[in-house]
Amino acid sequence: SFENLNVSMPKLYGLRIGESRRNRFWLFLENENVNIKGHADSLGDLRIAGGKLQEKYNKYKASLKPFDKRMDNLYAEYDEADSLGDLAKMSYLDSMYEELNKERINHVKNMAFDNSDNVFGPFLTVNSELSYNLELPEFEELYDAFDSSIADNIYYKKLEKRIKLLRAIQVGAKMPSFTQEDSSGNMISSDQFRGKYLLIDFWASWCGPCRRENPIVVALYKEYKDQGVGFEILGVSLDDNRDDWLLAIEEDGLSWPHVSDLKGWSNEVSDLYAINSIPHTVLVDPEGNIIAHKLRGEELKEKLETLLGEA
């Protein structure tokens, strides 16, 4: 148990037993006594009782278990359909998963609204699946609902920062400029591509969906790079291993320029563009204005055809 706590602000903390990160569990600490019951060999079964925020965190985690169970069942059905080559069922299960995920997101979003007068509301907004599933208007709606009395909290400030970043990269805004080292060790500036349509492609060698998308992007690059005013791609990798990054570029035949600071999810360009899931693309016009986000596959092809003419 923890008693007579004196934390500077309510916050989620990770408590580790020993050296391994696997032996870690999470608890919300505020200036309330906390009691933990369980065994170090089964941290997932710990019973943690503390202040009001810990109670809210416990209820939140418990409320997700039915969703997790239904999602696990869908995964199992999908794997079976995949092994049988049942494309129709795989497509059906994909749509089922999307609906279930929407239901889950709405559930967590409602919990955030229900906690608009305390720290747990902003916490859910920036530290749960909401952080990478909501768009700017939804973040703004939640932000407007939160009580200003919690404005000094880390999660409230994190939400303010995210809204500021998202406003700076909305369609119609000027592309935030950046410079980063390319795969040959030279510095490349995003501004050097002015005069052409530019696709900033956030990806990584370890990202399965990115690698599966790459053949489509390669084909589109060949079709449109010399079409009209021209089309260029600038790959921004969220890798942290240089060899893996360079090998993926070679294996996938990615002939356009690539940059990375090899900081993984802490890549400075991905932070600048508020990236929290990949693949993610940003399409920029010849004047440097953002014209689209998250275009992939057929949507990207149709957009390029509209902008540059049929190849």
Side-chain angles (χ1 to χ4, degrees), residues 219-245:
L220 290 176
Y221 185 59
K222 289 178 181 177
E223 280 187 50
Y224 290 100
K225 65 186 183 74
D226 297 320
Q227 189 80 2
V229 297
F231 170 61
E232 190 55 84
I233 301 175
L234 179 58
V236 179
S237 169
L238 274 63
D239 277 284
D240 57 12
N241 183 293
R242 182 176 179 81
D243 291 339
D244 290 346
W245 174 41

Side-chain angles (χ1 to χ4, degrees), residues 28-154:
F28 239 111
L29 293 184
E30 48 190 318
N31 293 324
E32 299 281 348
N33 294 341
V34 177
N35 292 302
I36 304 169
K37 292 184 179 181
H39 196 279
D41 292 335
S42 55
L43 297 183
D45 296 325
L46 292 180
R47 287 177 291 168
I48 305 172
K52 292 181 179 179
L53 289 173
Q54 183 62 45
E55 291 178 15
K56 292 176 183 294
Y57 186 67
N58 290 344
K59 289 179 180 179
Y60 158 66
K61 298 296 287 185
S63 74
L64 295 183
K65 287 183 179 179
F67 291 101
D68 291 336
K69 185 176 181 179
R70 291 162 64 189
M71 285 177 167
D72 287 343
N73 290 338
L74 285 177
Y75 284 136
E77 287 187 64
Y78 188 93
D79 286 342
E80 182 181 0
D82 189 18
S83 67
L84 297 172
D86 191 340
L87 298 180
K89 188 168 184 179
M90 289 166 67
S91 177
Y92 168 73
L93 291 170
D94 273 336
S95 63
M96 288 283 289
Y97 178 86
E98 289 298 324
E99 287 303 314
L100 180 57
N101 193 52
K102 287 179 183 177
E103 185 181 336
R104 178 183 175 126
I105 296 304
N106 285 332
H107 165 73
V108 179
K109 186 177 174 183
N110 287 335
M111 289 188 76
F113 275 117
D114 289 342
N115 287 279
S116 61
D117 61 347
N118 65 82
V119 170
F120 202 66
F123 165 78
L124 284 178
T125 308
V126 296
N127 267 57
S128 74
E129 51 262 70
L130 295 186
S131 69
Y132 50 87
N133 278 282
L134 300 186
E135 300 295 339
L136 176 61
E138 295 171 294
F139 282 119
E140 291 175 326
E141 184 183 13
L142 281 162
Y143 178 75
D144 290 341
F146 293 148
D147 196 301
S148 59
S149 64
I150 55 175
D152 287 337
N153 185 267
I154 184 174

Side-chain angles (χ1 to χ4, degrees), residues 180-305:
Q180 205 162 82
E181 191 173 302
D182 74 2
S183 53
S184 300
N186 302 309
M187 300 305 292
I188 284 189
S189 168
S190 57
D191 289 337
Q192 72 188 59
F193 300 99
R194 292 286 171 86
K196 295 183 178 181
Y197 286 96
L198 173 67
L199 185 75
I200 306 172
D201 183 19
F202 293 90
W203 73 296
S205 67
W206 44 260
C207 169
C210 304
R211 302 293 296 273
R212 289 192 291 273
E213 182 81 5
N214 277 342
I216 300 171
V217 183
V218 168
L220 290 176
Y221 185 59
K222 289 178 181 177
E223 280 187 50
Y224 290 100
K225 65 186 183 74
D226 297 320
Q227 189 80 2
V229 297
F231 170 61
E232 190 55 84
I233 301 175
L234 179 58
V236 179
S237 169
L238 274 63
D239 277 284
D240 57 12
N241 183 293
R242 182 176 179 81
D243 291 339
D244 290 346
W245 174 41
L246 298 181
L247 181 60
I249 292 172
E250 181 182 355
E251 287 182 341
D252 293 3
L254 312 181
S255 58
W256 49 84
H258 294 268
V259 298
S260 181
D261 57 14
L262 298 175
K263 294 180 181 178
W265 280 108
S266 297
N267 184 295
E268 292 178 8
V269 180
S270 71
D271 286 347
L272 185 63
Y273 281 79
I275 303 300
N276 52 23
S277 65
I278 53 175
H280 185 111
T281 59
V282 181
L283 186 61
V284 180
D285 72 13
E287 287 74 43
N289 302 307
I290 295 174
I291 53 179
H293 281 272
K294 299 182 181 180
L295 291 179
R296 296 171 59 188
E298 192 61 32
E299 282 185 326
L300 177 57
K301 180 178 176 61
E302 290 175 1
K303 188 68 172 180
L304 293 175
E305 187 175 308

